[in-house]
Amino acid sequence: MDIQTILQKDQLNKEDLVFLLGRTDRAECQALYEAAYRVKLEYIGNVDYYRGLLEFSNRCIKNCLYCGIRRDNTEVARFDTPREDILQMARWCFENQYGSLCLQSGERQDEAFIAYVESLIRDIKRIGGGALGLTLCCGEQTEETYRRWYDAGAHRYLLRIETSNPRLYATLHPQDGHHQWQVRKDCLAALARTGWQVGTGVMIGLPGQTLEDLADDILFYQENNIAMVGMGPYVVHHNTPLGNEVTAAGRDTRRDREERLRLGINMVAATRLYLKDVNIAATTALQALHPLGREMALKAGANILMPLVTVQRYRTQYQLYDNKPCLEDSQDECRHCLAGRVASIGDRVGWGEWGDSPHFFNHLGDKG
Ligand code: 5AD
Ligand code: SF4
């Protein structure tokens, strides 16, 4: 197969995706990224949107084998950000023209948590008369809960499927009945039914994951009418079962990390080429593997950045993986640093705009 022939095609198929994802040659990767950036220019423009990312609590009832804040990690102190601090950060986002705020936490399904988030949404929507877009990332919930939170005023929800392969999913999660791929998938459908703009994503470079799996992930986004994609390389966390296994097997060398980074960028590019009009995040995990990881993703078709607005004293307690960047920076530093990164690649920031996915409006009413 010849990369130029594939890049000129109007619609790629799975075989093309596998081929593109597997490119390692520098010139071929460059051609792939340039083609994806051209599609971004055509469908989105050279504009990148900010979502302030506020990690407000690291309490989690789940025990995902890869994650640093899993329930059984007793090394990490648990925190809840005081309500007033959250509201102050939300006001900061509004005043600094971040179009939108993303509230993320570990997963809890108790009524106290559900009601707390609901009232938080209402308070945040009062800021600037509803001007701040609001995204939630609080895990698996019932359709009733998703409805309550939507009715309170949030409108975008991120829930990663982690991998579209149920067998691979099973190797990454405890088999205790509480970590089921089908439940995760049903949640995505419930979110779409409730009216949310739905985002999902996967981890890239997982042990046992093939290029076919990754191509299937992209097909999964399309089949489920996904408006936003947030995906990033798998990064080892030292105090997790999966992290220990990967390290003990000698599979977290510098070369392994470079490989996961390249695969991560290839995935961004292939997803942009295939889905065209969705929002794609340049995730922080990319930067954990390379200082310029996020810029590389923007140049390969991503259009969303999520500067950290987590209250500074809690940042070290929200480490899903090792080497999380920006731990020491204040939200002001993150704002400037990222604006510089955007300008460095010739893009501009969509200040004060919600930056909703064009896909959502192009496909309203499609089955998801
Ligand atoms: N490496 C990369 N991403 C991770 N996540 C959790 N742990 C890791 C890790 N070790 C991602 C998962 C989850 C999101 C909140 O963070 O995809 O859905
Ligand atoms: Fe909890 Fe999410 Fe981490 Fe799983 S990935 S342990 S649900 S915070």
Side-chain angles (χ1 to χ4, degrees), residues 344-365:
S344 77
I345 64 148
D347 280 2
R348 66 177 180 88
V349 179
W351 295 113
E353 297 171 52
W354 282 13
D356 282 326
S357 149
H359 178 90
F360 183 75
F361 300 102
N362 295 343
H363 295 264
L364 262 182

Side-chain angles (χ1 to χ4, degrees), residues 64-69 104-105 137 158-163 173 184 201-204 206 230-237 240 242-243 285 318-322:
C64 307
L65 301 177
Y66 43 84
C67 174
I69 63 169
Q104 187 179 103
S105 68
C137 184
L158 299 175
L159 181 67
R160 288 189 178 181
I161 190 74
E162 314 297 358
T163 166
H173 298 91
R184 183 69 59 104
V202 298
M203 284 180 289
I204 300 153
L206 291 161
M231 57 190 169
Y234 164 66
V235 183
V236 164
H237 184 285
T240 55
L242 193 70
Y318 205 97
Q319 294 197 60
L320 309 182
Y321 44 80
D322 295 339

